[in-house]
Amino acid sequence: MAKLSVIYYSATGHNTAMAQRVAAAAEAAGADVRLRHVAETRDPASFAKNPAWTANYEATKDLPAATGDDIVWADAVIFGSPTRFGSPSSQLRTFIDSLGGLWAQGKLADKVYAGFTSSQTAHGGQESTLLSLYITLMHFGGILVPPGYTDPIKFDDGNPYGVSHITGPDNKTAPTEDTLAALDHLARRVVMVADRLTAAGSG
């Protein structure tokens, strides 16, 4: 049984929903899953006038927050982040930047990694966010497992780099059925590859 950590940051809840879907699909595929949010670094007062951000913060603030141990424990990690100016959010970057000690010890290497993201518009930096994340994971010595076009759903959701969701100009659009199916495929693919690598390592 592969061990998978789903580590995500979410402001207004879209990435929370995506992370929960990934975790459920991975568990259905037989993985032992840890679902962990990245702790908010902004003062809640700074987004008090944003109801969705406040609601997601209140709903997740007391849940287990991601730590480096969640990566060390895992055979595979799927990261999630909204797009911020074409890159992962500062909150996720802060978490990743805290992992230097584990990186120096080689404890982030030889694991399977993939990612998902969201933005308000179709060309709002989704691909560059995932590619930026993957550059960091290359520095980890990670094994990148993007979905590519390994399932027909990828011709519908259109993202071979990971999975991305368009939240709409009002930031209220929930993940579509295509997006949910693409998240399921990503989770299954990562678990499948992690299972094979784990089995090979123990053989």
Side-chain angles (χ1 to χ4, degrees), residues 13 15-16 31 36 46 65 71 82 115 144 154 160 164 169 195:
N15 281 268
T16 297
R36 299 288 188 265
S46 69
I71 299 179
L144 300 181
K154 300 312 295 179
S164 52
D195 277 339

PDB file of all heavy atoms in Angstrom, residues 13 15-16 31 36 46 65 71 82 115 144 154 160 164 169 195:
ATOM      1  N   GLY A  13     -11.455  28.104  -0.961  1.00  0.00           N
ATOM      2  CA  GLY A  13     -12.071  26.795  -0.838  1.00  0.00           C
ATOM      3  C   GLY A  13     -12.017  25.903  -2.053  1.00  0.00           C
ATOM      4  O   GLY A  13     -12.303  24.703  -1.957  1.00  0.00           O
ATOM      5  N   ASN A  15      -9.383  24.873  -3.830  1.00  0.00           N
ATOM      6  CA  ASN A  15      -8.335  23.867  -3.704  1.00  0.00           C
ATOM      7  C   ASN A  15      -8.608  22.906  -2.545  1.00  0.00           C
ATOM      8  O   ASN A  15      -8.147  21.760  -2.564  1.00  0.00           O
ATOM      9  CB  ASN A  15      -6.967  24.540  -3.563  1.00  0.00           C
ATOM     10  CG  ASN A  15      -6.437  25.003  -4.898  1.00  0.00           C
ATOM     11  OD1 ASN A  15      -5.721  24.291  -5.588  1.00  0.00           O
ATOM     12  ND2 ASN A  15      -6.813  26.229  -5.284  1.00  0.00           N
ATOM     13  N   THR A  16      -9.375  23.343  -1.556  1.00  0.00           N
ATOM     14  CA  THR A  16      -9.818  22.418  -0.513  1.00  0.00           C
ATOM     15  C   THR A  16     -10.682  21.320  -1.131  1.00  0.00           C
ATOM     16  O   THR A  16     -10.480  20.127  -0.873  1.00  0.00           O
ATOM     17  CB  THR A  16     -10.617  23.150   0.581  1.00  0.00           C
ATOM     18  OG1 THR A  16      -9.771  24.113   1.218  1.00  0.00           O
ATOM     19  CG2 THR A  16     -11.137  22.175   1.620  1.00  0.00           C
ATOM     20  N   ALA A  31      -4.542   3.557  -1.493  1.00  0.00           N
ATOM     21  CA  ALA A  31      -3.450   4.248  -0.815  1.00  0.00           C
ATOM     22  C   ALA A  31      -3.797   4.579   0.627  1.00  0.00           C
ATOM     23  O   ALA A  31      -4.973   4.745   0.979  1.00  0.00           O
ATOM     24  CB  ALA A  31      -3.095   5.529  -1.562  1.00  0.00           C
ATOM     25  N   ARG A  36      -3.522  17.197   4.155  1.00  0.00           N
ATOM     26  CA  ARG A  36      -2.993  18.264   5.009  1.00  0.00           C
ATOM     27  C   ARG A  36      -3.060  19.612   4.292  1.00  0.00           C
ATOM     28  O   ARG A  36      -2.594  19.755   3.162  1.00  0.00           O
ATOM     29  CB  ARG A  36      -1.526  17.981   5.372  1.00  0.00           C
ATOM     30  CG  ARG A  36      -1.304  16.683   6.148  1.00  0.00           C
ATOM     31  CD  ARG A  36      -1.820  16.809   7.568  1.00  0.00           C
ATOM     32  NE  ARG A  36      -1.452  15.672   8.383  1.00  0.00           N
ATOM     33  CZ  ARG A  36      -2.223  14.601   8.589  1.00  0.00           C
ATOM     34  NH1 ARG A  36      -3.412  14.532   7.990  1.00  0.00           N
ATOM     35  NH2 ARG A  36      -1.820  13.614   9.361  1.00  0.00           N
ATOM     36  N   SER A  46      -7.166  40.608   7.431  1.00  0.00           N
ATOM     37  CA  SER A  46      -6.860  41.159   6.112  1.00  0.00           C
ATOM     38  C   SER A  46      -7.802  40.637   5.032  1.00  0.00           C
ATOM     39  O   SER A  46      -7.906  41.230   3.963  1.00  0.00           O
ATOM     40  CB  SER A  46      -5.410  40.853   5.729  1.00  0.00           C
ATOM     41  OG  SER A  46      -5.233  39.469   5.488  1.00  0.00           O
ATOM     42  N   ALA A  65      -2.300  20.655  10.076  1.00  0.00           N
ATOM     43  CA  ALA A  65      -1.566  21.424   9.073  1.00  0.00           C
ATOM     44  C   ALA A  65      -0.350  20.631   8.601  1.00  0.00           C
ATOM     45  O   ALA A  65       0.217  19.824   9.334  1.00  0.00           O
ATOM     46  CB  ALA A  65      -1.127  22.767   9.646  1.00  0.00           C
ATOM     47  N   ILE A  71       5.812  14.740   4.263  1.00  0.00           N
ATOM     48  CA  ILE A  71       6.525  14.377   3.036  1.00  0.00           C
ATOM     49  C   ILE A  71       7.477  13.221   3.309  1.00  0.00           C
ATOM     50  O   ILE A  71       7.558  12.270   2.530  1.00  0.00           O
ATOM     51  CB  ILE A  71       7.282  15.592   2.462  1.00  0.00           C
ATOM     52  CG1 ILE A  71       6.294  16.704   2.116  1.00  0.00           C
ATOM     53  CG2 ILE A  71       8.089  15.188   1.225  1.00  0.00           C
ATOM     54  CD1 ILE A  71       6.936  17.960   1.576  1.00  0.00           C
ATOM     55  N   PRO A  82      -3.605  27.538  -5.448  1.00  0.00           N
ATOM     56  CA  PRO A  82      -4.135  28.476  -6.431  1.00  0.00           C
ATOM     57  C   PRO A  82      -2.985  29.170  -7.153  1.00  0.00           C
ATOM     58  O   PRO A  82      -1.854  29.189  -6.667  1.00  0.00           O
ATOM     59  CB  PRO A  82      -4.937  29.469  -5.575  1.00  0.00           C
ATOM     60  CG  PRO A  82      -4.339  29.372  -4.212  1.00  0.00           C
ATOM     61  CD  PRO A  82      -3.874  27.965  -4.060  1.00  0.00           C
ATOM     62  N   GLY A 115       0.850  17.691  -9.172  1.00  0.00           N
ATOM     63  CA  GLY A 115       0.207  18.887  -8.633  1.00  0.00           C
ATOM     64  C   GLY A 115      -1.103  19.245  -9.318  1.00  0.00           C
ATOM     65  O   GLY A 115      -1.429  18.751 -10.397  1.00  0.00           O
ATOM     66  N   LEU A 144       8.650  13.035 -11.097  1.00  0.00           N
ATOM     67  CA  LEU A 144       7.445  13.734 -11.527  1.00  0.00           C
ATOM     68  C   LEU A 144       6.539  12.786 -12.297  1.00  0.00           C
ATOM     69  O   LEU A 144       6.977  12.102 -13.225  1.00  0.00           O
ATOM     70  CB  LEU A 144       7.806  14.936 -12.398  1.00  0.00           C
ATOM     71  CG  LEU A 144       8.682  16.003 -11.741  1.00  0.00           C
ATOM     72  CD1 LEU A 144       8.944  17.144 -12.720  1.00  0.00           C
ATOM     73  CD2 LEU A 144       8.053  16.523 -10.470  1.00  0.00           C
ATOM     74  N   LYS A 154      -8.181  13.688 -20.351  1.00  0.00           N
ATOM     75  CA  LYS A 154      -7.228  14.784 -20.516  1.00  0.00           C
ATOM     76  C   LYS A 154      -7.505  15.594 -21.777  1.00  0.00           C
ATOM     77  O   LYS A 154      -7.100  16.751 -21.877  1.00  0.00           O
ATOM     78  CB  LYS A 154      -5.800  14.247 -20.533  1.00  0.00           C
ATOM     79  CG  LYS A 154      -5.388  13.517 -19.259  1.00  0.00           C
ATOM     80  CD  LYS A 154      -5.728  14.299 -17.988  1.00  0.00           C
ATOM     81  CE  LYS A 154      -4.970  15.593 -17.872  1.00  0.00           C
ATOM     82  NZ  LYS A 154      -5.348  16.326 -16.621  1.00  0.00           N
ATOM     83  N   PRO A 160      -2.127  18.553 -19.507  1.00  0.00           N
ATOM     84  CA  PRO A 160      -1.264  17.389 -19.332  1.00  0.00           C
ATOM     85  C   PRO A 160      -0.267  17.534 -18.193  1.00  0.00           C
ATOM     86  O   PRO A 160       0.419  16.579 -17.857  1.00  0.00           O
ATOM     87  CB  PRO A 160      -0.533  17.306 -20.675  1.00  0.00           C
ATOM     88  CG  PRO A 160      -0.422  18.742 -21.114  1.00  0.00           C
ATOM     89  CD  PRO A 160      -1.706  19.383 -20.648  1.00  0.00           C
ATOM     90  N   SER A 164      -6.217  21.453 -13.458  1.00  0.00           N
ATOM     91  CA  SER A 164      -6.479  22.861 -13.160  1.00  0.00           C
ATOM     92  C   SER A 164      -7.977  23.135 -13.241  1.00  0.00           C
ATOM     93  O   SER A 164      -8.699  22.503 -14.004  1.00  0.00           O
ATOM     94  CB  SER A 164      -5.720  23.771 -14.128  1.00  0.00           C
ATOM     95  OG  SER A 164      -5.964  23.399 -15.475  1.00  0.00           O
ATOM     96  N   PRO A 169     -14.837  34.559 -13.152  1.00  0.00           N
ATOM     97  CA  PRO A 169     -14.546  35.940 -12.753  1.00  0.00           C
ATOM     98  C   PRO A 169     -15.085  36.316 -11.379  1.00  0.00           C
ATOM     99  O   PRO A 169     -14.539  37.192 -10.713  1.00  0.00           O
ATOM    100  CB  PRO A 169     -15.201  36.777 -13.864  1.00  0.00           C
ATOM    101  CG  PRO A 169     -16.205  35.870 -14.502  1.00  0.00           C
ATOM    102  CD  PRO A 169     -15.642  34.488 -14.390  1.00  0.00           C
ATOM    103  N   ASP A 195       2.930   2.672  -6.133  1.00  0.00           N
ATOM    104  CA  ASP A 195       2.829   1.254  -5.786  1.00  0.00           C
ATOM    105  C   ASP A 195       3.912   0.445  -6.483  1.00  0.00           C
ATOM    106  O   ASP A 195       4.562  -0.425  -5.880  1.00  0.00           O
ATOM    107  CB  ASP A 195       1.459   0.697  -6.190  1.00  0.00           C
ATOM    108  CG  ASP A 195       0.364   0.983  -5.162  1.00  0.00           C
ATOM    109  OD1 ASP A 195       0.713   1.247  -3.998  1.00  0.00           O
ATOM    110  OD2 ASP A 195      -0.818   0.932  -5.535  1.00  0.00           O
TER     111      ASP A 195
END
